Amino acid sequence: AGSAGSATGSLPRRLEGVPDRQLSPAAAKIIQEIDEDLLENFDASEEKRKVLMRKYLMRWHPDKNAAEDKETATEVIQYLNSKKVWFLESAAYPETAPLLA
């Protein structure tokens, strides 16, 4: 029961919405940075959270990225879509650990 994300290259457990397949190193790094930014802003106003999420969704949309970056952009957009509802809820809460069944 070590700290989530403590192993080199591993992602925090709260990224459970990301597909099970192995992420590319580029996508993993980007997702880690976005995840930290979302957590830092989870208590911001709803309007600010919407603006931040929209910024990321527009930036990482696969159609807005070069062909060589489409795989990374797809992985990042899948993560963003998996976290959109959580982040935009009017009473967002931090996801620090997965729910136990």
Side-chain angles (χ1 to χ4, degrees):
S3 173
S6 61
T8 304
S10 68
L11 295 172
R13 290 177 178 245
R14 65 184 161 263
L15 302 186
E16 62 193 39
V18 177
D20 290 336
R21 66 184 175 83
Q22 184 70 12
L23 291 173
S24 68
K29 183 177 185 330
I30 293 162
I31 288 170
Q32 181 69 44
E33 291 169 0
I34 291 172
D35 183 63
E36 290 170 7
D37 195 20
L38 294 181
L39 284 173
E40 287 175 12
N41 288 286
F42 82 88
D43 59 350
S45 69
E46 185 175 357
E47 182 178 335
K48 184 176 178 182
R49 289 192 319 267
K50 285 180 179 181
V51 168
L52 182 62
M53 181 59 74
R54 191 175 306 120
K55 176 187 91 168
Y56 281 128
L57 289 168
M58 289 173 55
R59 164 62 183 97
W60 290 107
H61 193 285
D63 291 344
K64 301 211 181 267
N65 283 273
E68 61 270 9
D69 296 329
K70 284 212 189 282
E71 182 179 339
T72 298
T74 298
E75 292 173 325
V76 173
I77 203 84
Q78 287 173 343
Y79 164 74
L80 289 168
N81 283 325
S82 75
K83 295 300 170 190
K84 188 166 37 173
V85 171
W86 161 75
F87 189 68
L88 296 179
E89 286 180 351
S90 60
Y93 55 91
E95 291 182 18
T96 57
L99 297 176
L100 300 176

